[in-house]
Amino acid sequence: MKMIRAIIRPEKEEEVLKSLELAGFPSVTKMDVLGRGKQKGIQIGTAIYDELVKTMILVVVEDSIVEKAMTAISDSARTGNFGDGKIFVSNVESSITIRTGIAA
């Protein structure tokens, strides 16, 4: 299994979640996060914002369908501008369902 962590623009959250659901990935975790990329934030006039509000979406999927989930995220999150976000993929060694205690 793999965990996909996608850091996206908050205004693209609904579109990304809908895209994931249509692609067969209804189970997600999402949270509001702060961060910055290579641009080290943005400057608007004299104000410098070095941390920007983003949304992080986490999805755990089988290895064979990682590309499908990543495509659903990237296609729906992309604006073509700086700050569209990043997708990270990492291994998941194990998981259990808390209610049943059964390995998922």
Side-chain angles (χ1 to χ4, degrees), residues 3 35 43 46 53 62 67 71 73-74 76 82-83 89-90 96 104:
M3 176 177 287
Q43 182 171 352
T46 59
V53 175
E62 294 298 328
E67 291 298 324
T71 299
I73 294 167
S74 61
S76 56
F82 289 113
V89 179
S90 55
I96 66 165

Side-chain angles (χ1 to χ4, degrees), residues 4 17 20 30 32 36 41 44 52-53 57 64 84 87 101:
I4 300 171
L17 293 175
L20 281 168
K30 65 178 184 132
D32 295 328
R36 66 180 189 198
I44 301 173
L52 303 174
V53 175
I57 295 175
S64 61
D84 277 351
I87 298 175

Side-chain angles (χ1 to χ4, degrees), residues 55-81:
T55 299
M56 181 165 53
I57 295 175
L58 297 95
V59 184
V60 176
V61 301
E62 294 298 328
D63 292 3
S64 61
I65 53 177
V66 169
E67 291 298 324
K68 181 179 180 182
M70 289 176 62
T71 299
I73 294 167
S74 61
D75 287 354
S76 56
R78 183 179 297 115
T79 68
N81 298 311

Side-chain angles (χ1 to χ4, degrees), residues 2-16:
K2 302 286 188 195
M3 176 177 287
I4 300 171
R5 290 179 186 91
I7 311 296
I8 63 169
R9 295 173 178 273
E11 63 269 20
K12 297 297 261 176
E13 175 188 326
E14 188 175 322
E15 188 176 342
V16 170

